[in-house]
Amino acid sequence: MASAPQTNDFPILYNDLVPLSSQQHGDWKGNRVETAPFLANYHAVPVTIDEFALAQRFFPIVFTSGDQPVPLALMGLNEGANTIVDDEGKLIREDTYVPAYIRRYPFMLAKLRPDTDELSLCFDPTSEALGPNGDGDPLFVDGKPSETTQAILGFCEQFEQAAQRTGQFMKELVDAKVLIDGEVAIQQEGNDQPFIYRGFQMVSEEKLRELRGDTLRKMAKNGMLPLIYAHMFSMQLMREVFARQMAMGKVPMPQPVQA
């Protein structure tokens, strides 16, 4: 449940990545788009800890399985089911918080060579949000990055910094041994079998209570505890997302429980 569909080796949402270059893209523009059709078939995207306070009001925040979990905002509970946009990629509710990972697209900072840690501003060339045509803002002026491009670069840099803080938070969360395999069972009237959702991790309230007092005080002091509570509170939205998904006809029938 907690993994977005992936058909290539590029990050979620991205079909390709090329570096932004004044030589190759000197006449390109950033075009404003009202819809995000690329998002309609994704049910989860990464979210940073900087966003937990806002995101937990709109999405269940869960963690991927494995030894290096990543926090995800669930836009749906089944792969291919998105409850925040319609099939054309238009927001169903205009007040919905849109995670930074989505707002960053089609840009991102990426390594161009494996032997260096230097990051370059790249973009997905399959996106309609930029190109040589259109009446959008120019990406370059006199061969230099425009104010628009500088703002995009600044946003991507802030996202990378937030991602690093998120990675440190997740490392400490794993070290604290408070994560467990998650499971949510939703019984729908008229169905004999409940809808079971697995494949993610969550913080165990019991394990959290069992932590030593000094560990809890450290978590409260370094800001981890409020983030953990934001995640735990957000889990109450699982049934709300399920209800929206059901209303949109995007819930498969539950499978019989195997003995």
Side-chain angles (χ1 to χ4, degrees):
M1 180 199 74
S3 61
Q6 198 68 16
T7 58
N8 51 43
D9 293 332
F10 295 104
I12 294 170
L13 302 185
Y14 296 82
N15 298 301
D16 195 2
L17 278 175
V18 298
L20 185 65
S21 163
S22 60
Q23 287 76 28
Q24 298 182 27
H25 313 109
D27 61 343
W28 281 37
K29 304 175 180 66
N31 300 314
R32 291 180 174 83
V33 292
E34 300 297 327
T35 60
F38 60 87
L39 188 60
N41 293 324
Y42 288 88
H43 76 292
V45 293
V47 65
T48 69
I49 58 173
D50 292 35
E51 304 173 87
F52 274 25
L54 274 173
Q56 60 96 18
R57 295 166 50 195
F58 298 91
F59 311 102
I61 299 172
V62 300
F63 308 108
T64 55
S65 300
D67 297 331
Q68 296 180 312
V70 173
L72 296 179
L74 294 183
M75 301 173 290
L77 304 186
N78 296 91
E79 289 194 3
N82 191 311
T83 66
I84 73 166
V85 297
D86 59 23
D87 292 339
E88 283 71 45
K90 183 177 178 59
L91 279 176
I92 296 173
R93 284 180 48 187
E94 292 187 1
D95 64 340
T96 300
Y97 175 74
V98 179
Y101 189 95
I102 299 172
R103 288 182 279 125
R104 180 185 62 163
Y105 182 84
F107 296 95
M108 73 175 299
L109 292 176
K111 292 182 183 180
L112 297 183
R113 292 165 31 194
D115 59 344
T116 178
D117 290 331
E118 183 178 352
L119 299 176
S120 299
L121 184 61
C122 300
F123 69 96
D124 183 349
T126 68
S127 170
E128 297 180 356
L130 66 166
N133 302 315
D135 55 359
D137 299 324
L139 298 178
F140 294 94
V141 176
D142 297 329
K144 296 181 180 180
S146 66
E147 290 185 4
T148 296
T149 300
Q150 293 178 34
I152 292 169
L153 177 61
F155 183 80
C156 290
E157 289 175 340
Q158 291 173 9
F159 183 87
E160 289 300 317
Q161 293 165 4
Q164 292 178 10
R165 290 190 289 270
T166 302
Q168 181 60 35
F169 166 79
M170 293 308 304
K171 181 182 182 304
E172 294 184 26
L173 202 60
V174 170
D175 290 344
K177 302 184 186 304
V178 293
L179 289 176
I180 59 172
D181 291 334
E183 178 177 310
V184 174
I186 301 177
Q187 183 68 55
Q188 182 73 7
E189 185 176 352
N191 290 314
D192 294 334
Q193 299 292 338
F195 293 83
I196 307 293
Y197 292 99
R198 302 186 182 95
F200 63 96
Q201 294 187 84
M202 58 187 289
V203 171
S204 165
E205 292 186 47
E206 181 179 354
K207 288 182 178 293
L208 191 63
R209 287 194 300 267
E210 292 174 351
L211 289 177
R212 292 173 38 169
D214 56 343
T215 301
L216 285 172
R217 285 191 293 273
K218 179 182 177 182
M219 285 183 168
K221 187 175 182 179
N222 65 15
M224 282 188 65
L225 208 52
L227 296 171
I228 291 172
Y229 285 134
H231 148 68
M232 295 171 70
F233 292 150
S234 77
M235 296 299 291
Q236 299 176 18
L237 295 176
M238 294 286 278
R239 283 168 172 76
E240 182 177 319
V241 173
F242 175 85
R244 294 202 304 266
Q245 201 173 304
M246 178 67 75
M248 297 170 74
K250 295 183 177 181
V251 175
M253 292 305 296
Q255 299 299 313
V257 177
Q258 300 296 323

